[in-house]
Structures are given as C-alpha cells and as structure tokens.
Amino acid sequence: MELGIIGLGRMGANMSERLLAGGHRIMVFDRDTAAVDRVVGKGAVAADSLAALVSGLKKPRAIWVMVPAGGAVEETMSALLSSAETGDIVLDGGNSNFKESIARAGAFKERGIHFIDVGTSGGIWGLREGYCLMIGGGKEPVERLRPIFSTLAPAADRGWAHVGGSGAGHFAKMVHNGIEYGLMQSYAEGFALLSRTNRYSFDLPQIAELWRHGSVVRSWLLDLTSDALRENPGLSGIQPHVEDSGEGRWMVAECIEQDVPAPVISLSLIERLRSRDRDSFSSRLLAVMRKKFGGHSVMTKS
C-alpha cells in the first residue's frame, strides 16, 4: 500500500523504514534534506515539497504527519487542508492535544477529507519492536489503512486498535503518557531509596535485573532502567532535569475537569517541574522559615 509521510524525525524515519520493509511504497517529505536522503537510501521516494508529495501520491491519498505538536503540526495541517481532496486521508501521529484533533477532524470533514488521530507509542525502539497505535476517527478510513497499521504494530492482530471517534486516539495516548509519568516516578523513588539507605549496600543493576524476571513490577520500562543502571550505575554526568511533552499536563487538567482524582500522576508531573528549578525560591524560603521558628541552621552558598 502507498503512503505519504511528512516529518522524518527519529520516529518518522523509523516508521518509514518499517513500512518499507513490509513492502509498502513510501513517499516522504521533510525540510531536513539529510533526513530525506537517509530514508530514500532505504527505498523511499523523495518529494521536494509538501505540495509535491500530495500530487505524487495516488488518489485517494493517505498522508501521515509526524511533526511536533504545536506550531509545526498546525502549519502542516493548514497546508494539507488546502491541498488534499475529497476521499483523502490525513493522519496525525504526533502528540497533539485531543481537543485540537477534534477540531481538525471537523475542518477536514467539511472538505470531504478523512482525519485520523493516531496516538503512537514505541519511541526509538518501534523500528525493531513495532509501535502501539491508538487510533481515533471514522471506521471506514481506519479499515482502509489496516495494512499500514498491521505493519507498524508488533503483529497484525495486536498492538493497534481503533479506539473511538475523532480525538479518541490522542486522548488514549494522553492517558497512556500520564500513566507512564507515574510508573517512572515510582521506579525513580524506589531506586533512590535503595541507593541512599545506610543499612545495606545494594547493587542497583543487580536489583533491576532481578525484578525483570517473575516480579509483579516487571515491565519494558524496567528493562530500559536495568540497561541504564548497568551502563552507568551512579548516573554520573546526568543532570536532574526532566522534561515533559505536555500530555501529562493535559491529562491532569482533564482529570480536574472530569472530577477524576489522579494524585500519583499529578504529583509525578509536579516532580518533573520541580526538577528544572536549579535555584528553588520555595526551598530557600522553607529553610528560612525553619530558622525563624526553630533556630535551625541554614546552608549558604560558598
């Protein structure tokens, strides 16, 4: 099956390569010509512009957008809204807000164009392991793209699903990432205690590897944690700065709006924000408060 892909960051490039290996014809476009050249070297057909990609695909066309959420995806979707035609399918596989996906689906529908939102998980390992695809949109265009989803997923019968109407794919991915925040925070806190305790001298790589087999807390995330600790047990050279993609924020906001308590995920998001404060005013003020009411010592900068 033929597919156009816009956006050849690491995930977009890996998805292209997996599809090519599965026998699909892929036409690609990215402003980074070096990224295009790398995928062309795997068998893709290059387009030198978004317009050229649209015109070069057979009708009805399927165009998968893999660019960062925000301004980049908005610009790309606006261009496709003008250039795609009735019966075409436009997919957003990035981490867009589900509310924006609902609005985009409505705008494309007015033009007779199908819009599919695809929450995509798998990261840099998707090329080898396959991707988990959470798909939102109409049933007919999703079914039309079954060969594409089946190739990208770990297997034809698992790892991908049509989860609901427009926005449902990105909603499911938002919740997926929120859960991921909580899991990561739990592992991090547990290993921090193992590292800090003065009761025992734990071998952290050994513990991580031990828990990977037979334990109720085993997971792919723990597999990756085990690899990281084996490579760098003391995490030397790593700054305690943790970014977020925005989906954790959206999930917490949605939980508040829907009156759903999510204390673990909410706190894990706050911890990510806290990790970026190199000169915490609140922590310094807490130290001063303790001195004022209890006479506790205050550590000062040298």
Side-chain angles (χ1 to χ4, degrees):
M1 186 173 184
E2 185 178 66
L3 182 73
I5 294 183
I6 299 173
L8 297 174
R10 193 162 187 178
M11 185 176 284
N14 284 351
M15 289 174 63
S16 299
E17 188 172 340
R18 188 173 175 89
L19 288 167
L20 288 165
H24 299 281
R25 179 180 182 271
I26 305 299
M27 179 172 283
V28 297
F29 169 69
D30 193 290
R31 291 177 178 176
D32 181 353
T33 56
V36 172
D37 290 342
R38 284 193 293 271
V39 179
V40 168
K42 301 291 184 177
V45 177
D48 58 10
S49 68
L50 186 148
L53 180 137
V54 173
S55 64
L57 292 169
K58 296 177 183 177
K59 298 181 182 180
R61 293 166 286 222
I63 304 166
W64 193 314
V65 178
M66 287 298 296
V67 300
V73 73
E74 186 63 40
E75 179 183 345
T76 304
M77 290 299 172
S78 295
L80 288 173
L81 191 60
S82 300
S83 56
E85 299 175 358
T86 299
D88 290 346
I89 305 173
V90 173
L91 304 94
D92 180 5
N95 287 331
S96 294
N97 188 296
F98 76 95
K99 294 179 180 178
E100 295 175 352
S101 296
I102 294 172
R104 288 187 182 119
F108 278 99
K109 185 177 181 179
E110 290 180 1
R111 295 282 312 278
I113 303 164
H114 303 287
F115 178 84
I116 304 296
D117 52 284
V118 186
T120 307
S121 181
I124 61 176
W125 295 89
L127 174 59
R128 188 180 76 182
E129 303 289 341
Y131 296 90
C132 176
L133 306 172
M134 296 149 266
I135 306 162
K139 183 177 180 179
E140 187 278 325
V142 170
E143 189 60 30
R144 200 191 310 173
L145 292 173
R146 174 180 287 270
I148 296 292
F149 300 137
S150 297
T151 301
L152 288 172
D157 60 346
R158 62 181 184 272
W160 73 276
H162 182 202
V163 299
S166 297
H170 282 152
F171 191 99
K173 180 56 161 51
M174 174 187 73
V175 176
H176 167 283
N177 280 24
I179 293 170
E180 181 183 285
Y181 281 34
L183 287 171
M184 292 174 68
Q185 187 68 29
S186 294
Y187 280 130
E189 292 175 7
F191 279 99
L193 177 58
L194 289 169
S195 174
R196 187 71 61 85
T197 182
N198 58 11
R199 298 179 184 275
Y200 307 99
S201 180
F202 286 109
D203 181 334
L204 299 190
Q206 180 193 49
I207 295 291
E209 184 63 22
L210 171 67
W211 287 350
R212 291 182 59 226
H213 306 281
S215 166
V216 71
V217 300
R218 66 187 183 272
S219 70
W220 183 44
L221 184 57
L222 182 60
D223 295 344
L224 299 177
T225 301
S226 177
D227 289 343
L229 288 172
R230 185 173 61 253
E231 294 163 4
N232 187 357
L235 303 182
S236 59
I238 305 298
Q239 292 295 322
H241 180 107
V242 188
E243 288 290 355
D244 71 283
S245 64
E247 289 180 299
R249 302 181 189 218
W250 303 337
M251 180 175 174
V252 170
E254 186 68 12
C255 284
I256 293 170
E257 185 174 331
Q258 301 294 332
D259 293 329
V260 175
V264 172
I265 292 171
S266 299
L267 185 56
S268 67
L269 171 63
I270 299 303
E271 283 295 306
R272 291 195 179 199
L273 301 180
R274 185 196 59 77
S275 77
R276 303 167 204 170
D277 192 349
R278 295 289 188 271
D279 190 23
S280 172
F281 182 88
S282 61
S283 295
R284 287 185 288 135
L285 185 57
L286 285 170
V288 171
M289 288 180 190
R290 293 183 73 249
K291 179 176 176 62
K292 287 294 185 183
F293 70 71
H296 302 286
S297 61
V298 175
M299 297 179 63
T300 58
K301 295 180 179 180
S302 56

